Amino acid sequence: MMENIGDSDGSDLPLTENCSLLLFINEEERCCGLFDHISSDEVEESYIFNKSPNSIQNLKRAKNRIGGEIIDVANCDVIDLVSEVMSKVKDPSEIIIDISVLSKPELLILMQALDRQGLLIDTRLIYSQPEDYHSSRPVTDSKGIQNIDSVPGFINSTPLNRKTLLILMLGFEPARSKAIYNNYDPDSSYLIVPSPGYKEGWEERTVRQNSYLRNVLGENNIEHIHALHPGQFVKQFNRFLTENEIKLGEWNTFVSPLSTKPQTVGLYYIWRKNERTISVVHSTPLERNKLFVPTGLSETWELVGYKDEI
Amino acid sequence: MTQKVFITYSHDDADFKDKIVDRLDEQDLEVKLDERALKIGDELLELFEEIDDSDILIPILSENSVESDWVQEELKIAVKDQIEDRIRIFAVIHEGGKYSDILDDLPTGIQKSLELRQIGRFDTNGFDGAFSNLVENIDQYAPGAEIYDNYLSNNNDNPFRRTRTEYFESSEVIANTFAEPLNTSYSEISNLKPSLIEGGRGSGKTMILKSLQARINILLGGDTKFERSSSDFFGVYCKLTRGSFSTQSDKITNHLDIDVASTIYTDEITVRLLSSLLDEINYCKSEGILDIDRATEKEIVTRLNDQLGMSCSGHTIPDLLECTKSELNTIDEYIQRKILGEEPQYDGLFLDQTDIADLSEIVAGNLPGENINIYYLIDEYEVLKDFQKTVVNTLVKRSEQNMYSFKLASKKPGFSISQTLEDEELEEYNDYNSIDLDYNISDIHERSNFKDMLTEITKNLLSNEGFPEKDVEDILEKRDRFGSKSVEDIDEEIREMRDISKSEWKGLSEEERQTQRDHYGVASWYKILESNEHRQFGGLNDLAMLSSGITRFYLELIGVSFYNAQKDNRAPIQDNGISVQDQTKAAHTVSDYFLEYIHDNISKYGPRIQRLVLDLGDIFEEKLRNHTSEPEAARVSIIDPENLPSEKIDDILDSAEEHSVIQRKSGRGGMRPRSKTERQLMEYTLNRIYAPSLRISPRYRWRTKFEIQDLEELVDSEKRPKKKEELINSVKIGVRDEKQKPMTDFE
């Protein structure tokens, strides 16, 4: 299940005692999506991780509405950021994390670190959608490829002589998916299209933008999986594997999450269940086009129910 | 399927727009109009959505429209879309416009991208003529993605669809298609000595390694079983894809001490190689390729377990594979905890570089046959970090006279690190054979070898698909020497270009005229082509030349040519072969595709490398058209190589070379300075596959000299415009009376 947190009356998200709130702040409006849904009085401790030098306004809002310690992680790499977060998490009864502006590698590594310490089961993940990505045009997303790299801690241990299977979870950045495809030279590939998408028409937009891969791989290699629902993602992903008779361990399997963060949460649980049979890879764009920033704030969701699906 | 055409125009050009639309309506096209031509702001975004649904964009360029911000913004977007193969742009110049003025008002990037497709010249060609050309162009350039879809798809019968080894569906198809390289000795690659195999992307490295893989090598030897007599080596193919090792991510190596990382990686690579070897044995056993009885399997497993100091309780290869997995898990756990700030104890195997020898010996000694050696066939060595290369180099160095060997394949210039863990050098000849798979097309002998190999591959591919075996020379129609242009036209242009009077020309012997044609005929041909006319390509020689010595480019060229021919409901192999027209169209499609490929597929420097190629193309095109003594001059000669390494340009050139965008030519006799006082030049050539898109000749007869600083400034976005203009002006100067001879390696 996935629940819309609801009206902005300040108490939509019931919290347990002794809970920790982890906020990640940058210049995107949606990083403040949670503020209207919780009462700061209920939060035992909160940490505001500042991810950007341009986030002054949002930082002020966070400090005023929630309070708590501000930790600057703007110049941290993904490992330092997760280390910093984990150093703050002691032994709370519950952890609330707003994942809206975490990158996908940050999200995966953080989930893994929490999992190792047995904290993931008591972690609640909050996600706010942007209103839009400013422009619907692919030209305005990102440019070029800085590099293609594995996500630390998400490496398969399959023998290197096995054939390569690449599963691309598609988003609005076709250059990145195409670059991964071309750099991996896979023996077999599948495309995952977020469906239904965040919004009406976004599913078609993903397919249209990734038309090259769609054409090269053909309709048979495209799977449609829920964009916003980690539990559905896990179920549908497993069904996709079964229906296509794919045994991940028989391949040298690489998965690249270029789609939504709720899908990435689902991927974590897929990885967890199939530990060391999947490598997770991602590509970093050379330059993000300034026009392609997520703008506005749409709905705020608590990602729930997916733990039961495992 | 009816293609959707979207027309954008300035309101002031509505009359001209109506004329175009009236005529387009007669075609099998669905025409949509930008009715908000002069609106800006948010409505522009809606407009983009509409363009998104279109297959073709026709911007009407006039003095009115190019001054509008929205046109420029829209074109920028469409150009990007064109690169992504989502839309095709066919700009038209308003009949009342002035081409040069209009183009000058557009940014250089847009200009060049528009020129990649022919621009409809309604200003000079008359409405009817220009409209026919427009329709022809639309028809001629099927979208790249559609072409690639059709000819790469496994569901079609294009015999040239398998352009990557990974596309070959079985060991049998690989074995049936494989052709030994002819520019190097295959026996040198397959003997016990380690080999470092270099080549550009698509040069056949994976195919070579796979030919040594046990399951394929036996097929090449005509066997179905790995037996005593079939081979003296057992090859295991290992692809080191990015993301294969715990220590490979930049994010991890930034947080680990290099010595610790090396120790861990020695464990990791040794265990991964061993598990790959066991997995290959297991596969061969299950497929009936290899007979290993239970006792032998137990013997192998027990001894390997003891050697590694593991505590595997099972006696089968799958049991041992599970144990190796848990060792890799230990490594990963340690790294995760270490980088996140804990101080864990490393509880790994602490293997050293000699362990691989002992492990390989245990396995090799238990395989059928005597003195069997294990070959580790390592693909994509270039993705390794420097410290990882040092570890692998050490394993290679130690393999001498042991029962194992390494065959490492890397894109160029992948073997940049020669150190081992003991600070020794991995030395060519002593420790390994160096194999270069790229054919030097400028060399007559190598070009001939390349063509022979392509002929064999073509024959094998046709045979695989059940097509009648035919010589490729019979399939590919050869073009006339100067395409549709007569020798008289060419001679006339040569006279003009070389400032030779009619009477002087008449006074030349036929042999002297022929020499002039050899030297300047091609440049003259380019000069007299109409603005919407392509130079023709046809025949094996042309396709081999455009391929720049790289097999994959040839396969794409002949594959798309075949697709073009087949699209007209012809059976190209059985009927009359593939026409020059189809090959010419293919040359442009493939050229466009690979030029556009650079931008998003080369890490870090893709956009800059693409811009550099386009700029060099502009410079060489200018020289081709205006230089009177050295027109075909697409060799980049660096006259001050002593200024390398240059912080700005070094990595960019390496990256371009790795992806075969440029090819380094070194050590050739023809390049040596004429006297000791002359400096040794460093020379690169642009990959010839880009020549059709850049409208330059793929014959690179002369050099164009550059200083390092020229290249540095060309890749600097601020300095680039001025430097480019300066370089273009410098190459316009012809030396009419200087009778310089071209390089002699072309006929």
Side-chain angles (χ1 to χ4, degrees):
Chain A
M1 293 296 291
M2 180 183 62
E3 288 175 358
N4 190 334
I5 289 178
D7 299 326
S8 307
D9 65 0
S11 60
D12 309 323
L13 191 69
L15 305 175
T16 58
E17 280 183 27
N18 186 28
C19 85
S20 277
L21 175 64
L22 310 181
L23 294 172
F24 296 90
I25 302 296
N26 68 5
E27 58 275 25
E28 293 176 38
E29 198 179 335
R30 62 171 165 158
C31 70
C32 305
L34 183 60
F35 301 169
D36 290 336
H37 301 287
I38 54 170
S39 161
S40 57
D41 299 342
E42 290 181 44
V43 180
E44 174 74 18
E45 54 181 7
S46 55
Y47 298 98
I48 302 168
F49 295 92
N50 176 29
K51 290 193 72 193
S52 163
N54 305 317
S55 57
I56 301 287
Q57 291 305 321
N58 288 342
L59 269 184
K60 277 184 189 168
R61 286 178 69 187
K63 188 73 182 168
N64 291 339
R65 298 293 295 273
I66 309 294
E69 184 186 347
I70 295 180
I71 300 120
D72 188 20
V73 289
N75 295 317
C76 286
D77 69 8
V78 57
I79 300 291
D80 287 333
L81 181 141
V82 174
S83 300
E84 198 63 52
V85 174
M86 294 308 291
S87 73
K88 299 293 175 191
V89 176
K90 302 297 179 204
D91 191 17
S93 61
E94 186 174 81
I95 304 171
I96 312 282
I97 307 178
D98 187 334
I99 64 168
S100 306
V101 298
L102 281 177
S103 70
K104 283 151 201 149
E106 286 166 353
L107 174 58
L108 286 167
I109 295 169
L110 179 57
M111 288 181 78
Q112 190 185 56
L114 290 164
D115 207 4
R116 277 180 205 282
Q117 297 203 11
L119 296 169
L120 190 60
I121 193 77
D122 295 317
T123 299
R124 295 165 71 183
L125 302 177
I126 309 298
Y127 179 68
S128 295
Q129 290 171 237
E131 184 59 33
D132 203 344
Y133 286 92
H134 193 82
S135 163
S136 64
R137 297 293 302 158
V139 70
T140 54
D141 54 4
S142 58
K143 194 173 137 186
I145 288 298
Q146 175 67 33
N147 88 21
I148 296 172
D149 204 355
S150 53
V151 177
F154 293 82
I155 306 288
N156 74 46
S157 55
T158 315
L160 300 165
N161 61 326
R162 299 269 173 94
K163 288 185 171 184
T164 307
L165 168 68
L166 178 64
I167 301 174
L168 290 163
M169 295 160 59
L170 298 178
F172 288 162
E173 294 172 274
R176 293 172 72 182
S177 45
K178 192 170 163 185
I180 292 176
Y181 176 79
N182 281 323
N183 274 278
Y184 273 77
D185 283 340
D187 295 279
S188 181
S189 310
Y190 290 89
L191 306 175
I192 305 284
V193 173
S195 166
Y198 279 177
K199 286 187 174 180
E200 200 177 327
W202 282 21
E203 176 186 341
E204 292 74 23
R205 192 158 135 187
T206 306
V207 173
R208 204 164 52 230
Q209 291 191 351
N210 291 281
S211 58
Y212 169 82
L213 288 174
R214 181 197 60 191
N215 287 343
V216 168
L217 297 175
E219 289 295 328
N220 289 341
N221 289 35
I222 298 178
E223 193 68 24
H224 296 258
I225 297 187
H226 207 293
L228 269 173
H229 198 310
Q232 283 292 337
F233 178 86
V234 173
K235 264 188 183 169
Q236 292 176 9
F237 193 93
N238 283 328
R239 192 185 309 141
F240 142 72
L241 295 178
T242 309
E243 282 172 1
N244 289 282
E245 297 177 358
I246 300 168
K247 289 181 182 159
L248 293 173
E250 290 182 356
W251 296 83
N252 197 358
T253 304
F254 297 87
V255 181
S256 185
L258 297 162
S259 56
T260 65
K261 277 169 203 146
Q263 281 205 344
T264 308
V265 171
L267 174 64
Y268 178 75
Y269 284 92
I270 295 286
W271 177 85
R272 191 174 187 267
K273 197 177 176 187
N274 300 279
E275 199 169 3
R276 299 205 64 85
T277 57
I278 297 173
S279 286
V280 181
V281 293
H282 70 109
S283 56
T284 318
L286 202 51
E287 198 179 298
R288 283 187 193 281
N289 193 309
K290 285 172 188 160
L291 288 173
F292 191 73
V293 287
T295 54
L297 170 63
S298 180
E299 287 165 305
T300 298
W301 305 83
E302 178 175 5
L303 307 179
V304 295
Y306 53 94
K307 292 173 196 168
D308 303 335
E309 305 287 353
I310 312 305
Chain B
M1 194 176 75
T2 302
Q3 301 201 74
K4 293 178 187 166
V5 178
F6 194 87
I7 300 180
T8 62
Y9 61 100
S10 161
H11 186 69
D12 295 334
D13 302 327
D15 291 346
F16 179 66
K17 176 264 304 178
D18 289 342
K19 279 169 76 177
I20 298 249
V21 172
D22 286 348
R23 295 289 294 274
L24 282 174
D25 280 341
E26 295 165 12
Q27 309 295 320
D28 183 23
L29 296 166
E30 181 187 330
V31 180
K32 286 167 74 181
L33 293 171
D34 167 17
E35 299 294 357
R36 293 175 304 275
L38 289 178
K39 294 185 181 175
I40 56 170
D42 287 346
E43 291 184 31
L44 202 60
L45 298 181
E46 291 169 30
L47 178 68
F48 296 158
E49 286 285 1
E50 287 190 31
I51 298 175
D52 225 5
D53 286 332
S54 306
D55 304 303
I56 293 164
L57 176 74
I58 300 182
I60 295 176
L61 301 180
S62 68
E63 275 86 357
N64 300 321
S65 64
V66 290
E67 282 173 8
S68 310
D69 288 344
W70 68 266
V71 166
Q72 297 214 1
E73 183 63 22
E74 198 173 82
L75 282 174
K76 265 190 232 165
I77 287 162
V79 162
K80 168 77 178 177
D81 267 10
Q82 180 165 273
I83 286 167
E84 296 287 349
D85 276 334
R86 280 189 295 273
I87 203 165
R88 292 169 293 143
I89 312 170
F90 296 96
V92 300
I93 302 288
H94 190 286
E95 55 192 351
K98 193 173 172 202
Y99 178 78
S100 55
D101 290 351
I102 290 170
L103 266 278
D104 282 350
D105 280 341
L106 292 170
T108 316
I110 293 181
Q111 277 179 38
K112 191 71 207 178
S113 296
L114 295 181
E115 287 169 7
L116 285 178
R117 315 264 184 229
Q118 297 294 310
I119 293 179
R121 297 290 302 274
F122 286 78
D123 56 326
T124 53
N125 293 347
F127 191 90
D128 287 342
F131 187 83
S132 300
N133 290 337
L134 173 67
V135 172
E136 197 177 296
N137 277 333
I138 289 173
D139 181 51
Q140 188 172 27
Y141 292 99
E146 188 191 315
I147 290 174
Y148 278 75
D149 175 17
N150 282 294
Y151 105 90
L152 290 179
S153 160
N154 281 329
N155 301 323
N156 71 35
D157 60 353
N158 189 323
F160 308 105
R161 67 182 179 273
R162 300 181 193 91
T163 55
R164 300 174 178 177
T165 309
E166 289 79 4
Y167 292 164
F168 286 74
E169 58 273 30
S170 68
S171 300
E172 286 73 19
V173 183
I174 293 178
N176 289 342
T177 310
F178 177 70
E180 289 185 12
L182 297 174
N183 59 341
T184 185
S185 159
Y186 184 68
S187 61
E188 213 170 88
I189 299 174
S190 58
N191 69 23
L192 183 58
K193 194 164 204 167
S195 309
L196 306 192
I197 305 161
E198 275 192 323
R201 187 179 171 80
S203 58
K205 298 181 294 298
T206 303
M207 201 59 155
I208 294 280
L209 292 181
K210 290 250 178 174
S211 75
L212 302 172
Q213 190 181 17
R215 60 179 90 170
I216 293 169
N217 192 258
I218 56 160
L219 297 173
L220 288 169
D223 296 321
T224 52
K225 244 182 182 359
F226 186 88
E227 288 174 320
R228 196 167 295 271
S229 58
S230 56
S231 182
D232 62 357
F233 63 86
F234 185 90
V236 51
Y237 173 80
C238 301
K239 190 170 173 179
L240 308 186
T241 320
R242 283 179 179 85
S244 295
F245 297 101
S246 294
T247 46
Q248 203 161 353
S249 167
D250 286 338
K251 295 174 189 75
I252 283 177
T253 46
N254 293 341
H255 290 265
L256 272 187
D257 177 83
I258 195 77
D259 290 337
V260 173
S262 295
T263 301
I264 293 172
Y265 186 64
T266 305
D267 277 3
E268 197 177 16
I269 184 77
T270 307
V271 172
R272 293 300 290 272
L273 290 176
L274 178 68
S275 65
S276 306
L277 173 59
L278 292 172
D279 197 55
E280 186 69 17
I281 289 172
N282 207 35
Y283 172 85
C284 290
K285 191 178 153 224
S286 67
E287 294 293 309
I289 297 168
L290 183 65
D291 288 334
I292 290 191
D293 58 38
R294 277 189 187 181
T296 308
E297 185 173 355
K298 186 177 175 186
E299 162 85 5
I300 291 173
V301 170
T302 308
R303 288 188 59 195
L304 290 176
N305 188 40
D306 291 347
Q307 180 68 34
L308 289 167
M310 297 196 304
S311 49
C312 178
S313 55
H315 300 299
T316 66
I317 287 174
D319 293 335
L320 194 61
L321 281 171
E322 274 306 308
C323 292
T324 58
K325 209 171 172 179
S326 113
E327 282 306 324
L328 294 168
N329 213 17
T330 304
I331 291 171
D332 206 35
E333 281 277 335
Y334 169 80
I335 291 174
Q336 288 308 302
R337 293 176 59 194
K338 177 85 182 162
I339 62 174
L340 289 177
E342 295 179 45
E343 286 301 327
Q345 192 71 28
Y346 180 57
D347 195 20
L349 295 169
F350 291 99
L351 301 171
D352 68 28
Q353 58 276 16
T354 60
D355 282 293
I356 192 78
D358 296 333
L359 297 166
S360 305
E361 195 178 336
I362 291 168
V363 176
N366 281 289
L367 292 176
E370 284 174 24
N371 300 323
I372 299 294
N373 301 290
I374 303 296
Y375 283 8
Y376 296 101
L377 312 166
I378 309 291
D379 207 356
E380 303 195 3
Y381 170 87
E382 75 277 0
V383 305
L384 294 178
K385 301 271 172 220
D386 286 354
F387 79 88
Q388 293 177 319
K389 287 180 181 171
T390 304
V391 171
V392 173
N393 289 351
T394 311
L395 300 181
V396 172
K397 182 99 179 169
R398 295 285 163 265
S399 69
E400 198 184 359
Q401 292 175 353
N402 280 305
M403 295 174 80
Y404 72 100
S405 184
F406 277 88
K407 308 292 172 184
L408 308 177
S410 173
K411 294 192 186 81
K412 289 180 173 179
F415 298 116
S416 48
I417 303 288
S418 59
Q419 278 78 28
T420 65
L421 286 170
E422 287 95 6
D423 282 335
E424 294 174 292
E425 290 286 321
L426 192 61
E427 292 168 2
E428 190 174 350
Y429 306 119
N430 283 334
D431 300 318
Y432 66 91
N433 292 322
S434 182
I435 311 288
D436 186 348
L437 285 186
D438 288 354
Y439 290 77
N440 177 3
I441 288 295
S442 301
D443 180 281
I444 292 171
H445 180 66
E446 285 207 32
R447 189 160 77 240
S448 169
N449 279 341
F450 184 53
K451 283 164 59 180
D452 288 347
M453 186 186 70
L454 297 180
T455 302
E456 192 183 341
I457 290 174
T458 308
K459 200 174 279 183
N460 293 345
L461 283 167
L462 291 175
S463 166
N464 269 343
E465 296 294 306
F467 284 100
E469 273 195 28
K470 264 195 179 181
D471 195 295
V472 65
E473 302 267 15
D474 297 331
I475 297 168
L476 299 172
E477 185 193 358
K478 284 194 188 73
R479 65 170 159 82
D480 291 334
R481 187 174 184 192
F482 299 113
S484 59
K485 305 297 175 192
S486 67
V487 173
E488 290 73 27
D489 290 341
I490 296 291
D491 286 354
E492 184 66 23
E493 187 57 37
I494 293 173
R495 273 200 326 98
E496 177 74 19
M497 175 183 170
R498 301 292 295 162
D499 204 13
I500 301 170
S501 69
K502 277 188 181 171
S503 57
E504 251 184 294
W505 184 262
K506 273 187 184 167
L508 295 177
S509 67
E510 184 49 36
E511 196 182 335
E512 287 168 322
R513 286 183 200 169
Q514 200 53 52
T515 302
Q516 289 291 328
R517 286 179 203 125
D518 289 345
H519 290 182
Y520 304 109
V522 171
S524 301
W525 182 17
Y526 276 86
K527 288 178 76 167
I528 59 175
L529 289 172
E530 299 294 329
S531 66
N532 60 349
E533 192 181 6
H534 287 312
R535 172 242 147 106
Q536 290 182 350
F537 295 97
L540 179 62
N541 201 48
D542 275 1
L543 299 200
M545 175 73 87
L546 287 174
S547 307
S548 270
I550 292 178
T551 312
R552 178 179 169 189
F553 290 136
Y554 165 77
L555 291 174
E556 302 243 353
L557 286 164
I558 195 170
V560 177
S561 301
F562 181 94
Y563 168 84
N564 289 336
Q566 206 182 32
K567 206 167 60 142
D568 298 335
N569 296 320
R570 293 197 302 108
I573 308 298
Q574 295 89 331
D575 294 349
N576 299 323
I578 302 170
S579 69
V580 167
Q581 193 193 2
D582 286 331
Q583 293 175 67
T584 302
K585 275 165 67 175
H588 284 269
T589 305
V590 175
S591 185
D592 283 359
Y593 175 80
F594 280 105
L595 188 54
E596 290 166 357
Y597 177 95
I598 298 171
H599 189 278
D600 285 333
N601 289 284
I602 299 184
S603 298
K604 205 168 171 181
Y605 301 115
R608 276 205 269 181
I609 291 173
Q610 189 195 47
R611 215 163 47 217
L612 180 65
V613 171
L614 288 169
D615 287 348
L616 290 173
D618 285 346
I619 292 163
F620 297 144
E621 186 188 4
E622 196 65 42
K623 200 164 179 180
L624 178 70
R625 291 178 177 279
N626 292 301
H627 204 286
T628 55
S629 57
E630 301 179 353
E632 292 174 89
R635 295 177 174 200
V636 179
S637 278
I638 297 175
I639 59 173
D640 56 348
E642 65 274 14
N643 289 332
L644 281 171
S646 140
E647 201 180 312
K648 278 188 190 164
I649 200 74
D650 242 13
D651 287 349
I652 292 178
L653 292 177
D654 278 356
S655 187
E657 194 182 357
E658 183 186 327
H659 289 266
S660 299
V661 175
I662 55 171
Q663 294 170 306
R664 190 196 297 244
K665 294 154 67 74
S666 56
R668 291 182 55 243
M671 283 176 54
R672 290 190 192 115
R674 288 180 195 130
S675 75
K676 286 181 181 173
T677 54
E678 256 186 79
R679 288 189 294 185
Q680 171 78 55
L681 303 181
M682 188 177 198
E683 195 167 288
Y684 290 94
T685 54
L686 279 184
N687 193 309
R688 290 167 169 84
I689 196 70
Y690 308 122
S693 291
L694 297 174
R695 291 200 297 258
I696 60 175
S697 164
R699 295 198 316 175
Y700 296 166
R701 297 173 70 111
W702 289 277
R703 299 178 189 126
T704 299
K705 293 178 181 175
F706 293 88
E707 291 181 1
I708 290 294
Q709 199 180 345
D710 295 331
L711 300 180
E712 282 181 351
E713 291 183 20
L714 279 179
V715 296
D716 181 319
S717 52
E718 280 180 23
K719 294 177 180 165
R720 172 179 168 247
K722 193 171 165 220
K723 174 53 70 178
K724 184 177 165 186
E725 192 182 343
E726 182 190 314
L727 290 169
I728 283 183
N729 285 334
S730 74
V731 297
K732 277 181 183 168
I733 304 160
V735 191
R736 284 175 187 272
D737 51 2
E738 188 189 334
K739 307 290 187 209
Q740 238 179 306
K741 282 194 173 176
M743 307 291 274
T744 52
D745 55 2
F746 286 97
E747 296 187 52

